[in-house]
Amino acid sequence: MIRSQPPQPMMEGLDLTPLIDIIFIMLVFLMLSANPVTTLLSMELPEDHQSQAAVMPPPNPVHLALSPDAPHWHLDKTPYTSLDALRQALLNEPNLSQRPILVAGDKTVPLEPVLQLFSLLQAEGLTQVQFVMEPAQ
């Protein structure tokens, strides 16, 4: 005669052992991969930045200025009333892609001319743009 096993009682809840195993393996993997060997350089930094460090001016920069009143854009002290005229003047600058562009503007300049200038510089692929600011007092 064939006898069947008596039914075993069902476990209540979930078996979390596989989940804990996977989390442990991931934790070990992340700990091993996230701890790269770093090499530190020994440096002697100046203690007083005002007496030992000097700001070097960039070589032959292009000066762009923004004024609050029209004409808004000035390239090397020459005013330009339209963005197209400024674009042509910028493109006529020699070695423009190797030269840094210094942008200075009054704090009361409207936002629209600033955004138009940013759009022009981005469209022409000019990435060496620096902003001239006064230090906080």
Side-chain angles (χ1 to χ4, degrees), residues 52-72:
Q52 295 181 5
V55 176
M56 299 295 293
N60 196 14
V62 176
H63 296 278
L64 277 172
L66 292 160
S67 64
D69 302 321
H72 294 292

Side-chain angles (χ1 to χ4, degrees), residues 55-120:
V55 176
M56 299 295 293
N60 196 14
V62 176
H63 296 278
L64 277 172
L66 292 160
S67 64
D69 302 321
H72 294 292
W73 305 285
H74 300 267
L75 176 63
D76 293 327
K77 298 182 182 180
T78 305
Y80 291 93
T81 57
S82 73
L83 205 57
D84 292 328
L86 178 65
R87 180 189 314 261
Q88 284 299 332
L90 269 174
L91 294 178
N92 290 336
E93 289 286 325
N95 300 327
L96 182 63
S97 61
Q98 286 85 26
R99 294 170 60 191
I101 298 173
L102 299 180
V103 177
D106 191 272
K107 62 182 174 183
T108 60
V109 173
L111 184 59
E112 186 176 357
V114 176
L115 294 177
Q116 289 173 342
L117 178 64
F118 289 168
S119 176
L120 169 71

Side-chain angles (χ1 to χ4, degrees), residues 28-36:
V28 169
F29 173 75
L30 290 174
M31 286 175 50
L32 291 176
S33 64
N35 193 9

